[in-house]
């Protein structure tokens, strides 16, 4: 699962991607995305250090994307905020061969496979892909008749 800071970072980046030519203030992003402003400030600072966003000070300042959305991989975002996937824990009885059972081993293998799948998805998915999904959902949710059967 993605952790809190990565999710907040993605929400902020999606907000910036919606109007790439405009700079957005921390307050604007925090309100629109329901992210605590102090936490968002720290996340944006980390994203700036990673070269994913730019910041301009002053009255007309704010944050914007530093790169095109199709150049930002979700893996970069997770790395920027210091959240890596947690490694699969060994089975509770790992090391005591007499106590290990097949169920524990199968579940540990499943957890490792799921982590590899998530890591691959983060490597392959760009911010642009998320943005296009966002636009699709916005269109569906704004069209009252879109979900009627």
């Amino acid at each position: 699962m993605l952790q809190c800071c990565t999710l907040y970072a993605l929400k902020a980046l999606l907000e910036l991607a919606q109007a790439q030519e405009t700079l957005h203030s921390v307050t604007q992003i925090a309100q629109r995305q329901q992210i605590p402003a102090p936490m968002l400030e720290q996340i944006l600072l980390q994203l700036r250090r990673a070269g994913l966003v730019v910041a301009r000070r002053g009255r007309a300042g704010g944050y914007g994307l530093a790169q095109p959305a199709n150049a930002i991989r979700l893996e970069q975002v997770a790395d920027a905020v210091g959240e890596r996937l947690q490694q699969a824990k060994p089975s509770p009885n790992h090391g005591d061969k007499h106590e290990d059972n097949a169920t524990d081993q199968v579940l540990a293998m499943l957890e490792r496979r799921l982590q590899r799948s998530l890591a691959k998805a983060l490597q392959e998915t760009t911010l642009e892909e998320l943005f296009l999904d966002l636009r699709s959902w916005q269109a569906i949710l704004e069209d009252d008749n879109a979900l009627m059967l």
Side-chain angles (χ1 to χ4, degrees), residues 41-120:
E41 286 184 60
Q42 292 302 312
I43 290 169
L44 289 169
L45 180 63
Q46 292 169 315
L47 294 173
R48 187 174 60 84
R49 286 184 190 139
L52 301 176
V53 300
V54 294
R56 187 179 321 150
R57 295 179 189 251
R59 180 176 278 207
Y63 288 88
L65 293 180
Q67 307 172 35
N70 66 357
I72 299 174
R73 302 225 169 264
L74 302 191
E75 176 183 50
Q76 294 172 282
V77 177
D79 286 346
V81 296
E83 292 185 342
R84 299 209 182 253
L85 297 176
Q86 296 176 347
Q87 296 301 314
K89 297 178 180 117
S91 64
N93 300 320
H94 187 67
D96 185 356
K97 295 295 179 192
H98 301 294
E99 298 288 330
D100 283 352
N101 67 48
T103 302
D104 289 338
Q105 297 308 315
V106 167
L107 294 177
M109 284 178 19
L110 172 63
E111 190 170 347
R112 285 189 297 272
R113 276 197 344 232
L114 292 172
Q115 287 175 342
R116 283 191 305 268
S117 295
L118 181 56
K120 183 178 180 188

Side-chain angles (χ1 to χ4, degrees), residues 140-141 143-149:
I140 290 169
L141 295 174
D143 183 1
D144 293 336
N145 297 322
L147 296 177
M148 296 190 67
L149 298 175

